[in-house]
Amino acid sequence: MDLIVSNVEIAVSLDDTRVALRGFLVEPDEPSLADDHLHIVTNIDAYGDALYADREASVYEPLATAGARSGTTPFAITGATLSGFRATGFEGDWYDRIHIYANPLNLGNLTSAQTRDFYVWNARDLYNDLTSITPADDDGLALTEPSAVPTTFGRYEERLYSITPSFDGPAVIDASYIFDFDTEDPVLSVVGVRVIGWPLGPDWRPGIRERLEWLTDVMVARDGTEQRVRLRDYPRRSLEYSVLATDAAQALDALVWGLQDRLVAVPLWWDAQRVTTGVSAGAMSLTVTTTGRDYQAGGLVALGDGQAAQELMEIDTVNVGSLDLVRPVVSSWPAGTLVAPARYARLEPVQSVAHWLPEAHTATLRFRLQDASDATAADSGTTYRSYPVVALTANWATDPVDEYARDIDEHDPVTALAGAFEARALLPRLTRTHLHTLASRYEATSFRDWLYARSGRLKPCWLCSGLSDLVPTRTIGSTDLSVWVAGTGHARYVGLPAGRRDIQIRHRDGTVWRRRITARVIDGSEERLALDSALGATVQPADLVISWLVPCRLGSDAVELLWWTTDIAECQLAYAGTTDDL
């Protein structure tokens, strides 16, 4: 078999020393040997050196392509100084130090005797000597140590300490204790407020005054329209009551003298009640009526006799018919003991005490409460044109009084017989004063909620005068859109301004209709009032009382409730008419 090899090319790459051989040819009648390198090599080797006899070996002369290496760094390296801190993990956070917990130790509002614990932990793998404990501003605080100093803490040893505060000391507790260890000096901070209960109960004969005071900015335009802005989220509260001290005359002097600049806890005496069964020391709950009374979780409840003995407790949970306490009752109290919600308060800066006899004193005490009430803002269910209608009726034991005030500018040249007058507003400002009597706990609670819905002078409402302002003269049919009344002069002098265009029609059976007057027509001695809708019933004039409905707001941000008993109260309330287009 002849094998012809021709056109052999050898390509050598200087970059990656690769060698490529091209141009192997074989006879076509022979099987292809290209798939087996061993076969190719074997057949070529059979020819030996004769295969290359007629060829001249090529000589490859290497080229000098590189010189001597010098300076392998292309630029100069400038050194830098770096700073930082060690990032510790869980082990570094907890170990190799002294822990005091809880720190700060917050005693809260101290209302009864108590003891608070805290722990000191030597979180080191070595013994640690506690040389001393140095207190500061610790008046009225007693520190209890498990071992007197100097003492040695073992490796990873934890010890229990306790602080017992007394009522003797400053009103505000802000103390510290320095623990002097060999390795470090951790500091324990102790904070809190001493609260003294006000034990003297009221003399109910002049009643107890509870005052609520909102804050509203009322901006009145020249034409009498108003813009009202709330400036206080919750009303300020204060109470005023008289005490008659006979057996406790000396106690009254001591309380006013010593506590006038202190935070005290005063019971809300109108919410007081008597327990029907005795309260045992260690009890964690009290069985009381909570509905309609100002108890709140986190607040205080007072047990006492209304004279000198009293105990304050913190409320954990308010339930229907019971209170759960944060800490147990300290003393035992018999059946008939007074129980009432209490509020943090301060005495007014000036208090007066009258001395009837050497052993009998009387005083009118005034307190400013420091916290808000949990009253819920709620209107009565009656509305007219989407605004609430005052559902309370006036107590006619005190005459309702209307006051008409018109803003008038007077230009007085002094030398003339009379000055010139110019009305700034087209309508007078009408103010009506009503006495409301709240004859039950439910009425008193509902009235308080209604006051919170008014937010002082902020929110408008409708007030019915309750008077016979218009006298009907003809039967009113069920589909009639007009009412005939005796002539009053309103059609001639007044027209249909706000406050004189809405009426309430009350039937003697208690049915009430509220309608808007759309037009007035004078017909001899009568006036015909066009209504916006029919009554839907046929009624006789003798059975009706027609009164004005006036858009109004409260006339003052300050409201006083006078409590005569724990269930009966009165409120003299002023309503100011507005030009609001309700």
Side-chain angles (χ1 to χ4, degrees):
M1 177 184 69
D2 294 332
L3 177 64
I4 300 174
V5 179
S6 64
N7 194 24
V8 176
E9 296 179 2
I10 301 177
V12 179
S13 173
L14 297 179
D15 295 331
D16 51 9
T17 65
R18 289 178 298 174
V19 178
L21 300 178
R22 295 194 299 273
F24 288 94
L25 300 178
V26 297
E27 288 294 333
D29 57 346
E30 292 291 334
S32 176
L33 302 179
D35 61 345
D36 191 337
H37 291 248
L38 295 178
H39 293 170
I40 294 174
V41 174
T42 302
N43 292 331
I44 292 177
D45 288 345
Y47 290 93
D49 293 338
L51 180 63
Y52 307 102
D54 58 347
R55 293 183 179 272
E56 192 174 312
S58 299
V59 178
Y60 168 68
E61 295 292 339
L63 300 177
T65 59
R69 298 178 62 183
S70 63
T72 59
T73 305
F75 53 87
I77 298 178
T78 302
T81 302
L82 302 179
S83 62
F85 59 90
R86 179 184 177 187
T88 60
F90 178 83
E91 179 181 0
D93 291 337
W94 280 100
Y95 295 99
D96 297 327
R97 65 188 64 200
I98 300 295
H99 290 278
I100 300 179
Y101 55 97
N103 189 15
L105 184 61
N106 191 347
L107 303 179
N109 294 312
L110 297 179
T111 58
S112 61
Q114 55 185 275
T115 298
R116 297 294 183 87
D117 296 332
F118 66 95
Y119 295 88
V120 178
W121 177 32
N122 174 35
R124 293 180 180 274
D125 191 19
L126 52 84
Y127 291 91
N128 213 338
D129 292 332
L130 175 60
T131 305
S132 63
I133 301 176
T134 305
D137 300 322
D138 65 331
D139 295 343
L141 299 179
L143 174 65
T144 302
E145 307 174 46
S147 300
V149 293
T151 182
T152 301
F153 277 67
R155 298 160 56 189
Y156 303 114
E157 182 181 358
E158 179 184 73
R159 295 184 185 179
L160 175 66
Y161 289 75
S162 62
I163 292 284
T164 302
S166 68
F167 288 112
D168 297 327
V172 177
I173 301 172
D174 189 6
S176 63
Y177 293 85
I178 301 176
F179 287 75
D180 186 9
F181 282 91
D182 286 346
T183 56
E184 58 190 293
D185 300 326
V187 179
L188 169 70
S189 297
V190 183
V191 296
V193 177
R194 288 183 172 90
V195 180
I196 308 297
W198 188 269
L200 299 182
D203 178 6
W204 281 96
R205 288 175 297 178
I208 303 176
R209 294 186 181 274
E210 178 191 6
R211 183 182 179 89
L212 304 172
E213 188 171 357
W214 287 265
L215 186 61
T216 308
D217 185 10
V218 179
M219 293 163 281
V220 183
R222 185 175 179 83
D223 62 357
T225 57
E226 294 180 348
Q227 180 180 1
R228 299 180 290 272
V229 179
R230 184 202 306 269
L231 299 181
R232 187 182 295 154
D233 289 335
Y234 300 98
R236 290 181 177 177
R237 304 176 69 197
S238 61
L239 64 91
E240 175 184 314
Y241 66 89
S242 297
V243 295
L244 178 59
T246 53
D247 297 337
Q250 294 75 19
L252 174 61
D253 177 76
L255 289 170
V256 175
W257 184 283
L259 301 181
Q260 195 168 4
D261 63 339
R262 294 280 297 266
L263 186 68
V264 298
V266 60
L268 304 182
W269 298 105
W270 55 85
D271 283 339
Q273 55 194 299
R274 296 188 181 275
V275 295
T276 56
T277 58
V279 179
S280 302
M284 289 297 294
S285 64
L286 298 175
T287 302
V288 294
T289 300
T290 58
T291 303
R293 286 171 167 81
D294 202 3
Y295 292 105
Q296 60 184 19
L300 302 177
V301 58
L303 278 170
D305 59 5
Q307 291 297 317
Q310 188 184 73
E311 181 178 346
L312 294 173
M313 292 147 292
E314 292 182 83
I315 301 173
D316 182 45
T317 308
V318 179
N319 308 308
V320 177
S322 67
L323 300 172
D324 294 334
L325 306 177
V326 174
R327 296 179 184 83
V329 179
V330 176
S331 304
S332 295
W333 297 89
T337 298
L338 287 172
V339 57
R343 288 288 182 271
Y344 301 116
R346 293 186 183 275
L347 282 166
E348 293 278 0
V350 178
Q351 303 288 333
S352 299
V353 179
H355 308 287
W356 286 6
L357 296 171
E359 65 278 1
H361 308 327
T362 183
T364 299
L365 303 174
R366 292 174 295 276
F367 296 88
R368 296 177 184 176
L369 304 189
Q370 303 296 298
D371 48 7
S373 171
D374 273 354
T376 302
D379 275 310
S380 61
T382 304
T383 60
Y384 171 61
R385 303 179 71 86
S386 302
Y387 284 88
V389 178
V390 177
L392 301 167
T393 57
N395 183 346
W396 287 78
T398 300
D399 296 338
V401 177
D402 286 342
E403 180 181 274
Y404 300 83
R406 191 182 293 269
D407 293 325
I408 297 177
D409 290 333
E410 180 180 0
H411 307 280
D412 188 358
V414 180
T415 57
L417 292 177
F421 296 88
E422 179 184 1
R424 287 192 294 165
L426 298 177
L427 304 176
R429 289 183 287 106
L430 176 65
T431 301
R432 163 160 289 198
T433 303
H434 276 192
L435 175 64
H436 298 297
T437 298
L438 314 169
S440 67
R441 170 62 57 171
Y442 173 78
E443 289 186 9
T445 302
S446 300
F447 180 71
R448 184 190 300 276
D449 294 343
W450 181 82
L451 288 177
Y452 273 73
R454 301 277 65 72
S455 297
R457 297 182 293 168
L458 184 66
K459 300 290 186 66
C461 59
W462 291 100
L463 175 67
C464 176
S465 70
L467 307 177
S468 181
D469 294 311
L470 300 172
V471 179
T473 57
R474 304 184 186 184
T475 299
I476 305 175
S478 61
T479 59
D480 289 350
L481 291 175
S482 61
V483 175
W484 290 87
V485 299
T488 60
H490 284 86
R492 177 175 300 173
Y493 301 115
V494 178
L496 292 173
R500 289 298 181 264
R501 64 185 176 188
D502 297 278
I503 58 175
Q504 175 175 292
I505 304 173
R506 178 179 290 275
H507 196 278
R508 67 171 57 194
D509 65 3
T511 305
V512 174
W513 299 271
R514 298 179 180 89
R515 296 292 185 270
R516 169 155 290 186
I517 301 173
T518 58
R520 281 193 176 102
V521 178
I522 300 175
D523 189 350
S525 62
E526 294 179 302
E527 291 183 9
R528 183 171 64 87
L529 311 180
L531 305 181
D532 58 350
S533 63
L535 303 185
T538 300
V539 292
Q540 301 301 319
D543 296 330
L544 304 177
V545 174
I546 303 179
S547 307
W548 295 121
L549 273 176
V550 181
C552 65
R553 55 168 171 80
L554 295 188
S556 173
D557 280 326
V559 178
E560 280 191 355
L561 282 78
L562 179 59
W563 292 87
W564 295 109
T565 70
T566 56
D567 292 320
I568 299 176
E570 288 181 345
C571 180
Q572 190 87 11
L573 206 56
Y575 298 90
T578 70
T579 59
D580 293 359
D581 187 15
L582 303 185

